[in-house]
Amino acid sequence: ADPRMEAQGEAPIINASGEAKEALEKWDIAETEKLLVKYHQQREMLQKAESEKGKQQLKALESELAKAEKNDEAAQAVLKKARCSMEQRITEYDLVVRDGKNELQETALSYVKDAERDLAEAKEKADLAREALLAAKGALREEQEKPAQQRPGIDVDYED
């Protein structure tokens, strides 16, 4: 221990006896300074490593978000196309019925049903893509708002 450090208002040398007192009297203060420098270097390295880890996590989450946005955009485009196709098939069916072309009604109706099925699939995929996008946004926001991680124990400043 550094003989300059006081505990409860008293220097350690006052309460020490025997070998402990002798060791404190002979203690080289330069040794304490070396240990303090080493301690601060280790602490700085640890803080840099934690900071780098946090930056990497943010970068990975941002990448995930970009991917989710791209997937959502593509799913929304497919959904829009499926809706347009559905409207077109319904219009075609209405024209066939209006014109009284009975032989084409079943075929037109099957196209409408196919378009309905395609629309339902596209909607399901778009919903999943939107959920994934919202989850990615939430994870990124949570990581950004997360307070600095606390190491166990109490931080003590060894300098007076």
Side-chain angles (χ1 to χ4, degrees), residues 9-150:
E10 296 181 1
I13 201 163
I14 294 172
N15 295 325
S17 62
E19 290 179 19
K21 188 170 189 167
E22 189 177 317
L24 288 172
E25 288 172 347
K26 292 180 182 179
W27 183 261
D28 183 12
I29 301 300
E31 182 71 22
T32 300
E33 296 302 325
K34 288 179 196 174
L35 292 172
L36 280 174
V37 168
K38 186 176 177 181
Y39 167 77
H40 286 296
Q41 288 173 342
Q42 288 175 341
R43 190 172 179 182
E44 189 176 312
M45 280 182 20
L46 181 61
Q47 287 173 342
K48 283 182 182 179
E50 287 174 354
S51 174
E52 186 63 32
K53 182 180 176 185
K55 286 178 185 177
Q56 287 175 349
Q57 286 176 337
L58 279 177
K59 195 173 187 178
L61 289 172
E62 287 169 349
S63 174
E64 251 182 70
L65 176 62
K67 193 163 126 179
E69 285 174 339
K70 194 180 249 185
N71 288 342
D72 181 60
E73 220 173 272
Q76 294 300 324
V78 169
L79 179 61
K80 182 178 179 181
K81 185 176 178 182
R83 283 185 177 144
C84 289
S85 178
M86 174 73 177
E87 289 296 322
Q88 186 178 6
R89 298 297 168 239
I90 290 172
T91 302
E92 290 171 355
Y93 177 75
D94 289 343
L95 289 174
V96 168
V97 170
R98 187 189 73 191
D99 292 343
K101 297 180 181 176
N102 295 334
E103 66 278 355
L104 295 177
Q105 282 183 6
E106 283 187 39
T107 304
L109 184 59
S110 71
Y111 286 146
V112 169
K113 289 181 180 181
D114 289 345
E116 284 176 342
R117 188 188 69 249
D118 292 345
L119 178 61
E121 288 175 8
K123 182 162 177 34
E124 186 176 327
K125 288 180 181 178
D127 288 344
L128 291 174
R130 183 58 50 103
E131 287 175 17
L133 174 63
L134 292 175
K137 282 182 178 181
L140 179 61
R141 187 179 324 106
E142 188 177 299
E143 185 64 31
Q144 288 172 335
E145 293 173 355
K146 192 168 150 181
Q149 195 160 7
Q150 297 279 333

